[in-house]
Amino acid sequence: MDTAKIGMIKEAIKARESAVIAFSGGVDSSTLAALAFEELGEKALAVTIDSPLFPRKQLETAAQTACEIGIQHKVLPFSLTSVPYFSSNTINRCYFCKKALIETLVEFAEKAGYNVVLEGTNASEIKGENRPGYRAIKEAGEKIFSPFVEFNVTKEEIREIASNRALSAASRPSAACLATRIAYGQPITHETLERIEKAEDYLLALGFTQFRVRMHSNLARIEVPDDEFEDAIRKKEKISRHLKSLGFDFVTLDLEGFRSGSMDEPHLRKITEKTEEKKEEEEAERE
């Protein structure tokens, strides 16, 4: 990692004089919180949003990680009922959710006397077709500062910064809110979120590392890395039995393995198909 780039990030944070850090305990927000604490000390506050979208184990991890960094930490309650249009689970649901989260953090920061809210979106994340959550961040203007985007810092570079600071989050698998497990168009309810969380807690207890339990109607589609396929097959009966006890009718193992954003694949495939069709039509017209 370029030390000059780290220096620019820290200078930019220092120039804000005080900051609230949107803090999930993942590697991005943990690294950002560590850099902010190095520059701002007690004028930096890590804030974790507590909602049904945020797994309980992740909330515990966030508190432990903040303690490890040494930064002050606060948990803010957040109700899904305050997010209009979110529960209908359209493809731009992340926009509505992120917008509400940002408004909550900005309002808190202003009332508490902090100059800015720092958030950890990185340069690797903003590539791709469907990034409605990042659109909400950009709309917030100067109230939100995303240093890793501003200085083109990738996920790999963030892990390197975290590793150099001996942060436990350095090798922590990427996490995402529980709503990303539910197929678009299927309503998001407290019940479905709780069911998914319990299913993933069970897989974690069985020793799986990077995984998702995706929900399609009442079918559970499990994603695990290729090197954990054999373990999943060996444990298939107990996994199926437990997930059905949670209310799933069917339990499947995705042959393509773990990958982030798999719920977007059908949507992106349609976009690609339409683009190709348009190119073919244009070529036919030229001929």
Side-chain angles (χ1 to χ4, degrees), residues 19-21 23 33 37 40-48 62-63 65-67 69-75 114:
V20 161
I21 299 91
F23 189 73
F37 183 63
L40 302 177
E42 293 184 356
K43 293 183 179 180
L45 174 66
V47 175
T48 301
T65 305
C67 185
I69 294 168
I71 193 170
Q72 298 179 82
H73 183 227
K74 183 177 180 62
V75 177
Y114 291 90

Side-chain angles (χ1 to χ4, degrees), residues 228-240:
E228 294 186 357
F229 260 57
E230 289 186 12
D231 193 27
I233 295 299
R234 282 194 299 269
K235 297 172 179 175
K236 65 177 184 178
E237 290 183 6
K238 62 170 64 176
I239 292 173
S240 180

Side-chain angles (χ1 to χ4, degrees), residues 8-26:
M8 288 189 290
I9 294 170
K10 294 179 72 171
E11 282 299 314
I13 291 173
K14 185 177 181 180
R16 268 65 182 184
E17 298 183 344
S18 65
V20 161
I21 299 91
F23 189 73
S24 68

Side-chain angles (χ1 to χ4, degrees), residues 153-210:
V153 182
T154 64
K155 189 78 166 188
E156 184 178 349
E157 289 175 317
I158 291 171
R159 289 198 184 278
E160 185 180 343
I161 298 170
S163 180
N164 290 338
R165 283 162 174 74
L167 295 179
S168 62
S171 58
R172 192 168 293 155
S174 297
C177 89
L178 292 173
T180 61
R181 291 17 169 215
I182 305 172
Y184 292 121
Q186 183 173 343
I188 298 172
T189 66
H190 287 272
E191 181 186 13
T192 54
L193 293 171
E194 185 178 5
R195 187 185 305 175
I196 292 166
E197 182 174 359
K198 287 180 178 179
E200 293 195 345
D201 283 348
Y202 184 70
L203 292 182
L204 183 65
L206 289 180
F208 294 97
T209 56
Q210 183 82 331

